[in-house]
Amino acid sequence: MVARAGPLVLAIETSCDETAVAVLRGRSGLLAAEVASQVAAHRPYGGIVPEVAARGHLPELPRLLDRVWARAGVAPPAVDAFAATTGPGLATSLLVGVAVAKGLAVGLGKPFFGVNHLEGHLLSPFFGTDEGPLPSVGLVVSGGHTLLVELRAPGDYRLLGRTRDDAAGEAFDKVGKMLGLPYPAGPEIERMARAGDPGRFALPRGLLGTPGCDFSFSGLKTAMRRLLPELRPGDIADACASFQEAVVEVLVMKTVRAALATGRSAVGASGGVSRNARLREALVAGCREAGLRLFLAEPALCTDNAVMIARVAVEKAAAGTGSDLAGDIDPNLGLDLFRIP
Ligand code: KG4
Ligand code: ZN
């Protein structure tokens, strides 16, 4: 049983195009969570425009803060610590959330914790499970990242592998753009794929036959581009299903292999792409077959959110990590990990 008591943390997430605020009591007492998506603002450009994203956070944050104070039923002085994502992400977007959270911390004389966005994703599959983050292998698949990480304990991670080119979500978005689907194309491809035959087109499974935990999606993207001139309008669903299956198969097989190679008996999956129902279903089947326990982040916690940032901040508060008011942002922040040689 996880204690419902603990520090009251307000966290802000503005690393990319989502503005998010959450208030969390201890490890699992979620009092309020708000997310405002900028998808509509970026759709005309077919991808995220950094300056548009940063400026979008500015008017949104005060609105979301007002809403979480009301929903959580707490006043700002009751908060024990403030937190914000300090990286990785878009520099100007990160600055907005960090500046606001630090301002609140300074104004109210409370500590500030800078949080690594990837650590947030890694802990999110365990949110609300009452089991805490178990030693496991974590798959993080989003628009910006595709990582396999060994989670030994909160704060103790080892990078096993990552994409050598595009992130899985980026591949979905780029292939969707080729097929004329709106941004972000991941959900659109999933929708189209439901009516398609995943075995119709033979597509490459990048690095599947190579040992190690790295990924590559550029060959798959090129194969899709080559396929384009041959496609008739009735073929789009089959193309989407075949593409989705190629991505899913590599993600699942590499994740299961990583868990077996590291001797971890649990797997966590998070990040925007882990909302994909076909990926979730294939992870369930792959983990069941390999005798692994699977923790899937709930859909609202797959995409960028502030609950996962607050969750990491609670862990930092529990570990007695000091306030980080003088800390900088780091758009290229890693997990301070080492790689298996
Ligand atoms: O985690 P996230 O919100 O932002 C990043 O940190 O990148 O992930 C967004 C990415 C986009 O590339 C989007 O196309 C993808 O996640 N995505 C999906 C699905 N839902 C979102 N990809 C495949 N299937 C989905 N259902
Ligand atoms: Zn993310």
Side-chain angles (χ1 to χ4, degrees):
M1 197 46 206
V2 171
R4 300 274 152 188
L8 188 65
V9 172
L10 180 135
I12 297 177
E13 153 66 39
T14 60
S15 66
C16 195
D17 63 331
E18 249 98 35
T19 319
V21 182
V23 179
L24 183 66
R25 162 84 68 192
R27 294 193 164 98
S28 56
L30 185 58
L31 275 71
E34 294 286 334
V35 182
S37 170
Q38 295 182 7
V39 157
H42 298 277
R43 188 163 282 146
Y45 306 100
I48 292 161
V49 182
E51 188 180 328
V52 172
R55 295 180 67 168
H57 295 306
L58 216 46
E60 207 60 71
L61 261 182
R63 279 202 280 270
L64 296 191
L65 281 166
D66 276 349
R67 249 186 269 159
V68 297
W69 297 132
R71 293 250 162 97
V74 294
V79 171
D80 297 308
F82 292 88
T85 306
T86 48
L90 302 169
T92 46
S93 283
L94 290 165
L95 283 171
V96 179
V98 170
V100 170
K102 282 189 177 186
L104 285 162
V106 170
L108 293 159
K110 301 294 169 75
F112 165 81
F113 296 114
V115 172
N116 184 318
H117 181 84
L118 298 175
E119 191 173 3
H121 276 305
L122 274 173
L123 297 196
S124 56
F126 300 96
F127 189 81
T129 62
D130 278 2
E131 286 200 75
L134 295 180
S136 54
V137 162
L139 171 71
V140 180
V141 265
S142 70
H145 304 277
T146 300
L147 305 174
L148 274 170
V149 177
E150 184 184 8
L151 189 164
R152 294 184 281 210
D156 184 5
Y157 310 106
R158 181 168 65 126
L159 181 64
L160 301 170
R162 68 179 128 203
T163 182
R164 293 186 185 170
D165 36 64
D166 289 345
E170 197 179 352
F172 268 94
D173 294 337
K174 287 180 178 169
V175 165
K177 197 171 179 178
M178 286 178 208
L179 296 171
L181 300 173
Y183 173 86
E188 296 293 327
I189 289 182
E190 177 180 357
R191 199 172 49 78
M192 299 288 296
R194 273 187 223 130
D197 171 8
R200 166 85 188 279
F201 299 107
L203 293 168
R205 267 66 171 157
L207 300 181
L208 192 60
T210 313
C213 299
D214 278 355
F215 299 94
S216 168
F217 296 105
S218 63
L220 175 58
K221 200 177 57 186
T222 306
M224 289 299 290
R225 190 170 289 120
R226 291 219 182 99
L227 199 61
L228 276 185
E230 296 170 28
L231 295 179
R232 284 162 300 137
D235 295 333
I236 303 295
D238 288 346
C240 286
S242 301
F243 165 78
Q244 176 176 269
E245 203 55 27
V247 176
V248 165
E249 190 179 319
V250 174
L251 292 175
V252 174
M253 289 188 69
K254 290 248 167 189
T255 303
V256 168
R257 265 193 230 156
L260 298 176
T262 52
R264 297 296 180 194
S265 59
V267 162
S270 59
V273 181
S274 69
R275 281 181 91 118
N276 184 285
R278 175 66 196 124
L279 174 60
R280 294 172 86 88
E281 174 189 277
L283 278 168
V284 168
C287 287
R288 191 192 299 126
E289 207 171 292
L292 300 165
R293 290 188 69 194
L294 175 64
F295 293 83
L296 287 167
E298 60 180 83
L301 298 187
C302 286
T303 38
D304 289 347
N305 64 87
V307 179
M308 66 184 194
I309 305 305
R311 180 66 187 77
V312 176
V314 166
E315 219 55 62
K316 285 176 181 266
T321 311
S323 181
D324 189 25
L325 273 174
D328 196 359
I329 58 154
D330 182 354
N332 300 313
L333 192 61
L335 277 163
D336 287 334
L337 309 157
F338 56 91
R339 289 162 68 83
I340 292 180

